[in-house]
């Protein structure tokens, strides 16, 4: 499997009045005891992308590089400004399958082709502290970029990089930057060599995703309802794509977050049916529901396994009878053996890729209804309040249902309604401001209480199944029964708290504040 490195760096270029071509003296930077020259290296990299630049549009770079200490294939994924995860694979003639899989949601059926060749003559220095630890690596690159095809246009420039050493406080980069500015350098406008190469050999427009609209500055009351709803749908679609890569990398909590993005999209389509035509969005919503359910099998097992492990760890040793821990390990391992493989197959499947294509098509040609042209505050507030009324009815039903399986079901339905009301308010925040934030917080409190109750329902179901297997094997079921009883008590406590939590969340002033 490919290796992953966290890269935290900043790029600089010389001011117009300066003619810097080499690294300035950085020995006076606070905290630097010595500067070690590492010589000059010749680097030769070919960058790959689709013909319509899908990776570049997402801030992703894929290259095959020779020269230097890390020759090979490098896939760089954005994490935050100036922070990227670099995933490396050995040199090979073609794009490694492991790296191609990580960008499949972006590339889909398009071919990855050579885009730009960038050759650099890199002068490297390491900034060391008094113990000889590398605080950062600084470099000066004389760069030549050649467009592959499209007439063979070229560009040349010099740029400077400072990459943080492992374990170094990120604030050290601020200290280095002060010195670089004194030496006539300033932060580069281009986030990467590839971005600059694309601009200087072909133009910025080529990095723009097909169908992607320019970002709009969202202010309360400053745009139409359609603008705000589409902006929210676009953010959640981008999140879905980002978490796709995280799931493929088996990043912590990634399955859950990807599932949340699908739910937010589906909720937006249902809540804002007056803005986006549901004849178009309902089929998308059905596919998003399918995706969430498929991801849910993985997520539910994660939640229950973690909950049971924590509950078991809290028990006195004298109350743990039989091979309970072994049974829980077997249950948790079922995810690694089966569910994860199924999820990865799902993400490579035609149905999922077609869903991504459909989301892109919707954003490129949105099915706007008449309400989309109206001011955002009045339309969005009405939609949020409509979802609130739906939630209120379900909470009332749940509270009036006798304790037991029927109430569990009613509480689960109320939980789903609370989640939808929360997401509705979340989408309305740019238009409604603080009132929508407060309303969202109240709905989140209701959702979390009901969500915890649903977790107890799932956990009790698993405990019962484990107890049946343990009993059939002649093992003690005492501990499993004890855990089951504690989950019952936890559920009952949540049911007792619900009336007070709901009374707080349903105060009239929270709804009145939403009105424009």
């Amino acid at each position: 499997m490919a290796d992953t490195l966290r890269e935290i760096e900043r790029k600089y270029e010389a001011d117009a009045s300066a003619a810097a071509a080499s690294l300035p003296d950085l020995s006076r930077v606070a905290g630097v005891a010595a500067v070690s020259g590492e010589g000059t290296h010749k680097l030769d990299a070919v960058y790959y992308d689709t013909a319509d630049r899908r990776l570049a549009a997402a801030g992703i770079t894929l290259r095959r590089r020779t020269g230097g200490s890390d020759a090979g294939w490098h896939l760089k994924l954005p994490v935050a400004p100036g922070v990227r995860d670099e995933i490396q694979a050995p040199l090979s003639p073609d794009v490694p399958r492991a790296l191609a899989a990580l960008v499949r949601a972006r590339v889909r059926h398009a071919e990855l082709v050579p885009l730009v060749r960038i050759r650099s003559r890199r002068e490297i220095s390491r900034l060391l502290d008094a113990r000889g630890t590398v605080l950062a690596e600084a470099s000066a690159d004389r760069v030549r970029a050649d467009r592959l095809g499209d007439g063979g246009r070229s560009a040349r420039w010099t740029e400077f990089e400072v990459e943080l050493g492992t374990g170094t406080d990120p604030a050290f980069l601020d200290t280095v930057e002060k010195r670089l500015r004194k030496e006539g350098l300033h932060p580069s406008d281009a986030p990467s060599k590839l971005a600059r190469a694309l601009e200087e050999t072909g133009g910025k427009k080529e990095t723009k995703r097909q169908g992607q609209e320019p970002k709009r500055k969202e202010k309360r009351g400053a745009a139409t309802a359609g603008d705000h709803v589409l902006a929210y749908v676009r953010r959640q679609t981008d999140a879905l794509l980002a978490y796709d890569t995280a799931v493929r990398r088996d990043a912590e909590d990634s399955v859950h977050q990807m599932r949340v993005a699908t739910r937010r999209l589906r909720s937006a389509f249902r809540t804002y049916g007056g803005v986006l035509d549901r004849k178009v969005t309902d089929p998308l919503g059905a596919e998003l529901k399918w995706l969430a359910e498929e991801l849910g099998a993985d997520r539910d097992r994660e939640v229950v396994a973690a909950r049971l492990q924590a509950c078991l760890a809290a028990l006195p040793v004298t109350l743990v009878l039989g091979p309970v821990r072994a049974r829980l390990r077997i249950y948790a391992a079922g995810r690694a053996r089966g569910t994860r493989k199924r999820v990865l197959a799902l993400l490579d499947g035609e149905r999922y890729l077609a869903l991504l294509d459909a989301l892109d098509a919707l954003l490129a040609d949105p099915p706007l209804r008449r309400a989309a042209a109206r001011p955002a505050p009045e339309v969005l507030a009405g939609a949020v309040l409509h979802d609130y009324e739906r939630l209120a009815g379900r909470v009332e039903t749940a509270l009036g249902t006798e304790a037991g399986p029927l109430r569990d079901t009613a509480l689960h339905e109320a939980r789903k309604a609370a989640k939808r009301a929360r997401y509705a308010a979340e989408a309305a925040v740019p238009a409604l401001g603080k009132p929508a934030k407060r309303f969202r917080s109240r709905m989140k409190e209701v959702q979390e209480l009901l969500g915890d109750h649903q977790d107890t329902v799932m956990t009790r179901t698993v405990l019962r199944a484990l107890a049946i297997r343990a009993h059939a094997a002649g093992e003690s079921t005492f501990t499993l029964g004890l855990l089951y009883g504690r989950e019952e008590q936890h559920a009952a406590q949540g049911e007792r708290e619900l009336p007070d939590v709901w009374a707080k969340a349903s105060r009239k002033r929270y709804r009145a504040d939403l009105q424009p």
Side-chain angles (χ1 to χ4, degrees), residues 13 15 48 58 76 98 129 156 159 168 220 236 239 301 333 344 368 375 381 424 449 461 464 472 477 480 485 493 502:
E13 54 191 86
D15 295 334
Y48 286 68
K76 296 192 177 187
D129 65 11
R156 295 176 183 269
E159 70 176 36
T168 304
R220 179 168 181 167
Q236 299 313 316
R301 186 177 288 266
L344 292 177
L368 297 174
L449 178 65
T461 300
R464 185 176 184 277
T477 59
L480 295 170
Q493 177 62 30
W502 176 245

Side-chain angles (χ1 to χ4, degrees), residues 293-298 338-347:
E293 289 174 347
E294 291 293 319
L295 294 171
D298 197 33
T339 314
R340 175 161 172 76
K341 290 182 180 179
R342 182 176 54 77
V343 168
L344 292 177
L346 167 79
L347 298 184

